Amino acid sequence: MAKYFTDVSRTFNEYLLIPNLIKRTHTPDKVSLETPLVRFKKGKKSDIYLKIPMLSAIMQSVSDDRMAIALAKEGGLSFIYGSQSIEDEAEMVRRVKLHKAGFVESDSNVKPDATISELLALIESTGHSTTAVTDDGSAHGKLLGLITSRDYRISHVDMNDPVSKYMTPIEKLICGSTDLKISECNDLIWDHKLNTLPIVDKEGNLSSMVFRKDYEAHKENPNELLDDQKRYLVGAGINSRDYEERVPALVSAGADVLCIDSSEGFSEYQKDTIAWIRKKYGKKVKVGAGNVVDAEGFRYLADAGADFIKVGIGGGSICITRETKGIGRGQASAVIDVAKARDEYFKETGEYIPICSDGGIVYDYHMTLALAMGADFVMLGRYFSRFEEAPTAKVNINGSYYKEYWGEGSNRARNWQRYDMGGKAKLSFEEGVDSYVPYAGLLKDNVAVTTYKIKSTMCNCGALSLPEFRKKARLTVVSSTSIVEGGAHDVLVKNNQNNH
């Protein structure tokens, strides 16, 4: 006879926090959201700490190098998606590690014989009015000049004219060298009243650009997530099929941590993957595993050597695993169960293995609930997919802007490795959908609001750190009527723009 879990499978929406005494010392500015990313022994510290408990999901529509840089600036971490070629994923990791704050790789570049018509089409696609003119039209070709919207009047030019006719040639440009610090570049910008400073190497090839408008962003961010060489931290997704080739490439590129990307992690395939990594690299290479939804799954991956374990099956906004396969568990119940197993494992072995709540987040307060229930951090897909830095296209639908967002189990992603069960190398059926999400602007602005909400709630519960929050949190199950009561009701709302 089948085994039955008698407890109801619950979601975050079914819980509320009960406030504790707020003391005068409980203010958001005193709250720390720092949290360990990878396993550590009792009395020791984790090798990697997050400044904020937020990871971006291992998805094509969420985590590329641009997202990784933006999130690391705020203290979180991205896992570059693994459903691409080994070479392309390694190159994304490499770009994050080589990135220097304030030095921007030019994404608007043309050859000198490109027409004004072609230039305008490029500006339309990138939204950037400053374009580098290089000999081969690439971001790192020999710099010949710059052309901006101030160099021509559309009504007075022939659309077939070459950009070389209107550009400011290299001889008339002030450029910086690749050995300059960002502070020195900013001095050149201010001293010469520039809007853009091209950075070129000794051979005259374009390296990057520094912009006046980014000056404020160049100031040191106290939450930046950096390694010991002052480079941004970045994670990378792997699978249980080609890890013998993919892992060495990612480690060589500089990935700080890996994570096996799978819809179901309670698997011998994941155990074998971790075992291979341990045999080749020992404990030097950090690797997360998952996803699981109960204590048994957690224990299996913990014993296998996972450095952190992801929790959640079927709760993602674009995931239809529960619909197609009838497998999963309410995200709140899964986190509560696995958090308990994590604490028991720590008492038994003296090793603490952080857990990640992955999926089921609809509102910002759901992140806070996940942390209260025991998650060390959360992994977010839809949340980050809405931002400017997400790698997808921004589209206008009926006057409103949206970003494309699709699941790794969708036919568009075709990430069959994520759902691999040892069969043919293909996606047999879809476990994700293709969708749109409302465009929400810059990551920095949104993350600032979300983390302030988390800190404020922690103060309501009398906690100034995440471990203290987990210890002091008091939660109550709410009825369906209570859920309705919790929102605006019995009034006509003037402008219903909830920040999700």
Side-chain angles (χ1 to χ4, degrees), residues 126-163:
T126 65
H128 299 150
S129 59
T130 298
T131 304
V133 183
T134 58
D135 61 345
D136 60 1
S138 74
H140 300 293
K142 188 175 181 64
L143 183 64
L144 303 178
L146 289 182
I147 184 165
T148 73
S149 57
R150 295 176 301 175
D151 293 320
Y152 56 87
R153 292 168 62 187
I154 294 178
S155 59
H156 288 64
V157 300
D158 185 329
M159 289 293 117
N160 293 316
D161 280 348
V163 295

Side-chain angles (χ1 to χ4, degrees), residues 216-277:
E216 287 299 321
H218 298 163
K219 293 182 178 179
E220 185 178 358
N221 185 335
N223 275 340
E224 280 184 326
L225 200 63
L226 303 172
D227 64 18
D228 54 7
Q229 298 180 50
K230 304 298 182 183
R231 302 175 302 177
Y232 289 125
L233 263 62
V234 60
I238 61 174
N239 62 70
S240 56
R241 279 273 185 153
D242 65 7
Y243 54 86
E244 292 186 17
E245 294 79 35
R246 190 174 293 269
V247 170
L250 296 174
V251 170
S252 177
D256 298 283
V257 58
L258 307 175
C259 185
I260 306 171
D261 182 29
S262 174
S263 65
E264 218 285 79
F266 193 6
S267 152
E268 289 184 343
Y269 300 112
Q270 294 217 1
K271 182 180 179 181
D272 293 344
T273 303
I274 297 170
W276 184 88
I277 291 173

